[in-house]
């Protein structure tokens, strides 16, 4: 995908039948806010462009997947609130979800993801 915009869509994990509801954070403000101030998320949040995150002031444990430019998973971590992991220099996108979700979805390094965007809701 060329230029990402804020909006919604669906995330599909290679080898899985059920798509995951997706929010896309592409503007500076939405990337900066991320999941701060929320008590959870149904589905996942794609932050783009992005290669690092933190969980300061977060209210819940999250799973974080670092993705390359082809949406292939580079690394997956579960982060408790108050953490600052090292950046992943090859990452172009970060996917966030509630802790435990990515294991259920089968996300692990090497897995390729695909994203379909809800065109009418993209802003």
């Amino acid at each position: 995908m060329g230029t990402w915009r804020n909006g919604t869509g669906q995330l599909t994990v290679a080898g899985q039948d059920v798509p995951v509801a997706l929010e896309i954070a592409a503007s500076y403000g939405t990337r900066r806010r991320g999941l701060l101030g929320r008590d959870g998320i149904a589905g996942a949040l794609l932050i783009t462009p992005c290669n690092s995150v933190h969980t300061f002031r977060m209210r819940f444990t999250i799973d974080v997947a670092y993705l390359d430019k082809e949406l292939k998973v580079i690394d997956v971590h579960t982060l408790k609130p108050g953490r600052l992991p090292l950046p992943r220099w090859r990452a172009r996108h970060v996917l966030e979800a509630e802790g435990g979700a990515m294991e259920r979805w089968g996300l692990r390094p090497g897995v390729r993801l695909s994203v379909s965007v809800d065109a009418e809701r993209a802003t």
Side-chain angles (χ1 to χ4, degrees), residues 18-61:
V18 181
V20 174
L22 183 68
E23 295 176 39
I24 301 168
S27 70
Y28 175 78
T30 58
R31 289 193 323 259
R32 188 169 184 266
R33 189 175 322 109
L35 295 175
L36 292 174
R38 298 193 197 187
D39 293 319
I41 181 172
L45 175 68
L46 178 70
I47 305 171
T48 181
C50 183
N51 68 1
S52 66
V53 297
H54 68 83
T55 58
F56 297 117
R57 299 189 341 254
M58 291 285 295
R59 296 179 181 168
F60 59 100
T61 298

